[in-house]
Amino acid sequence: MPASVLVPTDGTASVATMTSDTQDHTAKSATYPPPERLVNPEGREKPWVSSMAEYEALYNESIQQPTKFWTRTANELLTWDKPFTHVSLGSLKEGNMAWFPDGQLNVSYNCVDRWAIQDPSRVAFIYEADEPGNATTVTYGQLLAQVCSLANVLRSFGLRKGDTVAIYMPMIPEAAVAMLACARLGLVHTVVFAGFSASSLAERVADARSRVVITADEGLRGSRTIRIKAIVDEALKSCPEVERVLVFRRTGNETVEFTAPRDVWWHEAVAAQRPYCPPVPVSAEDPLFLLYTSGSTGKPKGVVHTSGGYLLGAALTLKYVFDIHDGDIFCCTADIGWITGHSYVVYGPLALGSTSVVFESVPTYPDASRYWKLVEDHKITQFYTAPTAIRALRRHGDDFVNKCDLSSLRVIGSVGEPINPDAWTWYSEVVGGGRCAVVDTYWQTETGSHVITPLPGATLAKPGSATFPFFGVELAILDPTTGAELEGNDVSGVLAIKRPWPSMARTIAGDHKRFLETYLSPYPGYYFAGDGASRDSDGYYWIRGRVDDVINVAGHRLSTAEVESALICHHAVAESAVVGAPDEVSGQSICAFVTLKDGFEANDTLKAELVKEVRTRIGPIATPKTLILVDELPKTRSGKIIRRILRKVVAGEGDQLGDLSTLSDPSIVDVLIREVSTAI
Ligand code: PRX
């Protein structure tokens, strides 16, 4: 029996809706060959993979001779303290995967020391601060000293290998220093996006059992001040086990509360430490970090990534997918609070000894040229952002792009949500000037690194398709109901992966059972990604969106159950149902339906209070764009809310509701359609 996850709580698999446009724009969509400047790179090195034949040869080797492929790549890209003799153990069926299990390495040594020893003046980070014109650099030599001093501070707190440290910081190089200092000692970091509220932070700190939190006084984004330390103080009221809070001074606002001896200033603590700390070798399978992500239920999951396999996945994908060569300047605009920031701001670029841009601001500050000015100023060669940003910037018009010199760019990437062909084409033609390869990379927090992606010098791209599997990733499309693998092309179903790959998550912190139930048991022998997908007649993969109760707002993954639980905390709320509504800029937006308890009156003040409740409990990223107070929700006779109907109504498909016979009161549908049409 396939997964209960496939059948949302209202008992309706959503695969049918996701396949509706499968055949329309797939095989016959426009294709884009690799651009001339990659194919014939005058004066530069050839792309790592420069034809489909080369891609296929490497891909086939990774599948047919995995030991040979992974031994070579793991030894080429990583430095091991103790070489591994065995590539992998375990299976998806058992959920006991391990990669390079007898190998030992240190992630911070791989990311910092190797390059600092070779050339300490090589630039590791270009830090573009919130206020434009304030860029600074951190060399590998400086990074080594900073990471070591901080590691010594953490050691002085009594932290030892395996302990967890929470990091709640703005997008500044010190956030990466904090991650690398943990890695140096074999500590497990858990970075919490600094847009999450105090209660979300508290939940994560407690679940991860962190005794130390690393933070900053305040953050700055688009000239707005974010009172980060105040949020930490609020969160820690319910986390008595936290003994130390290390505070980096970002803005220097003197009014920030400071509670000694718990709170320690970063600059004072590091000044007292020796700027060298020997790296602690760890097993390839020792955890490097936990990262919380939303699932189908309300409670976020602490996804566990390990040291060896994860680092290899981040480095290998970055090298091939963005075609990184010596001297390249790579810029990924994601926050380090998300997996994209982990893999492609910090670990991937540094493991390759590359230069990575840390961008603190927002794309529209001071105006919609910010990203493009960034590219011009730093001669960025590869740029990686989310479709939401691309769509939003496109609305501001081409002039903001055209006035900047983007000639340094070779590869431009997209991640986090499906990119519609229109936005893809604008990105390629206006930002890329027709000279760049566009890589639409599909992956997840759990996959650690790209799993479906074009390779810039090889793949004939189709706008909107993530194209083909990365090395070592064997994909399958399954029938959602029977679980049978759908062979051949022109098929739609749910996306699954047939064999373990090095950077896949190994477990959920403290809950291996949930790991198995979520990813491995739904279709035994497969990793179940939670997305619908199709394979067109040319074998290209098209991601169709989530098939569970996860929604993707501006590339941020949220569970509808989490938002519903926040709403229900308000004393006036009787019931709530949250669905994703299509949104031109953010892909999806949050639409909440709420019924009130007797005695409460529906009015705008109450609506504003409910929105505030969600922002306080989860954070601004979960703000409902639409909140509709209704008398009743659509339910089955047994009282289950039928979210399928709400999804259809908010998508403007109120005339395609299908079978309504399970509804206890079918007349409710017209009321809902009316309510939604006035609200949206
Ligand atoms: O639904 C897919 C979507 O984002 C989900 C993963 O979210 P998260 O773990 O937060 O990681 C985001 C960054 C890797 C996926 O299950 N997604 C991610 N990339 C794409 C995508 N959907 C379509 N196309 C993509 N390129």
Side-chain angles (χ1 to χ4, degrees), residues 617-670:
R617 296 211 172 253
I618 306 177
I621 54 166
T623 308
K625 187 170 174 190
T626 316
L627 192 139
I628 307 177
L629 298 175
V630 288
D631 291 335
E632 234 184 301
L633 291 169
K635 288 189 180 164
T636 60
R637 283 191 203 96
S638 59
K640 266 192 170 176
I641 298 170
I642 312 183
R643 287 176 182 74
R644 171 181 62 91
I645 291 185
L646 297 173
R647 276 196 289 269
K648 285 276 188 190
V649 171
V650 300
E653 295 171 359
D655 53 343
Q656 302 163 36
L657 295 179
D659 181 12
L660 296 178
S661 60
T662 49
L663 264 176
S664 67
D665 174 10
S667 71
I668 192 179
V669 169
D670 288 338

Side-chain angles (χ1 to χ4, degrees), residues 416-447:
E417 15 156 5
I419 178 163
N420 38 319
D422 274 6
W424 192 103
T425 310
W426 182 82
Y427 196 34
S428 168
E429 282 168 10
V430 180
V431 176
R435 297 176 308 269
C436 299
V438 177
V439 287
D440 172 5
T441 59
Y442 167 83
W443 59 297
Q444 308 175 301
T445 304
E446 296 85 342
T447 67

Side-chain angles (χ1 to χ4, degrees), residues 56-122:
E56 276 161 21
L58 277 167
Y59 179 77
N60 289 342
E61 185 197 17
S62 73
I63 298 298
Q64 286 152 18
Q65 297 168 277
T67 303
K68 182 170 166 219
F69 180 86
W70 292 117
T71 302
R72 185 179 70 245
T73 51
N75 284 320
E76 250 170 38
L77 291 176
L78 305 183
T79 300
W80 296 84
D81 291 304
K82 178 169 169 275
F84 56 89
T85 61
H86 210 75
V87 164
S88 69
L89 292 175
S91 69
L92 294 175
K93 206 164 198 135
E94 303 286 325
N96 56 350
M97 300 74 62
W99 284 82
F100 318 111
D102 60 349
Q104 288 187 356
L105 78 173
N106 178 276
V107 170
S108 98
Y109 178 88
N110 272 273
C111 290
V112 187
D113 304 43
R114 296 196 288 175
W115 320 116
I117 291 165
Q118 243 178 43
D119 176 8
S121 67
R122 189 192 289 196

